[in-house]
Amino acid sequence: MLKGFKDFIMRGNLVELAVAFIMAAAFAQVVLTFTAWLMSLIPAGATNFGQKPFGLFIAAVIAFLIIAAVVYFAIVVPYQKISARLKKEEPAAVDPDEVIVLKQIRDLLATNGSPTTTGTTTPTPGTTPL
């Protein structure tokens, strides 16, 4: 049961989706405050010409950068290290037919390419095998 949970958590698209969701939520605040700052620049009787919304925008940008750093160093980097370690530990799946063919090639090379020692003969060009 724990192996299934580990496989679920370590699935690449799940982690990428979680990171994307966190970053999108943080970036949404930057967009909202930037829009508020732009709207405050339109003279509609305001006398401060967007000083307060600009401060909120700068605060949102700083918060976004802090969130991005935390996500990168707390989620992305450890995930990449764990993924690399797990990929090294997993042996590559070998097809049994490939092993047989590779053994036959090895045996042929060991006999200097002479196929007569393996019990098979190769027809000469222009003739048909019996």
Side-chain angles (χ1 to χ4, degrees):
M1 180 160 63
L2 291 178
K3 182 183 180 323
F5 180 71
K6 181 189 81 164
D7 293 342
F8 171 73
I9 292 298
M10 293 306 298
R11 211 173 355 172
N13 56 355
L14 179 68
V15 174
E16 291 169 5
L17 184 62
V19 168
F21 182 75
I22 293 168
M23 296 306 296
F27 191 70
Q29 189 63 32
V30 172
V31 171
L32 288 174
T33 56
F34 181 73
T35 306
W37 175 66
L38 283 180
M39 294 303 290
S40 70
L41 293 178
I42 299 172
T47 58
N48 63 359
F49 291 100
Q51 293 172 355
K52 183 177 178 183
F54 185 73
L56 293 175
F57 170 68
I58 296 298
V61 169
I62 292 171
F64 173 77
L65 293 175
I66 291 171
I67 291 170
V70 169
V71 166
Y72 179 74
F73 291 112
I75 297 174
V76 174
V77 171
Y79 172 74
Q80 290 174 342
K81 288 183 180 181
I82 291 171
S83 294
R85 189 178 318 143
L86 289 177
K87 286 180 182 177
K88 287 180 185 176
E89 292 176 2
E90 295 176 0
V94 179
D95 186 19
D97 294 333
E98 289 179 11
V99 173
I100 293 170
V101 170
L102 289 172
K103 286 182 179 180
Q104 290 173 350
I105 292 171
R106 180 200 62 200
D107 294 342
L108 281 173
L109 290 173
T111 60
N112 293 328
S114 174
T116 56
T117 58
T118 60
T120 61
T121 58
T122 48
T124 56
T127 63
T128 57
L130 297 174

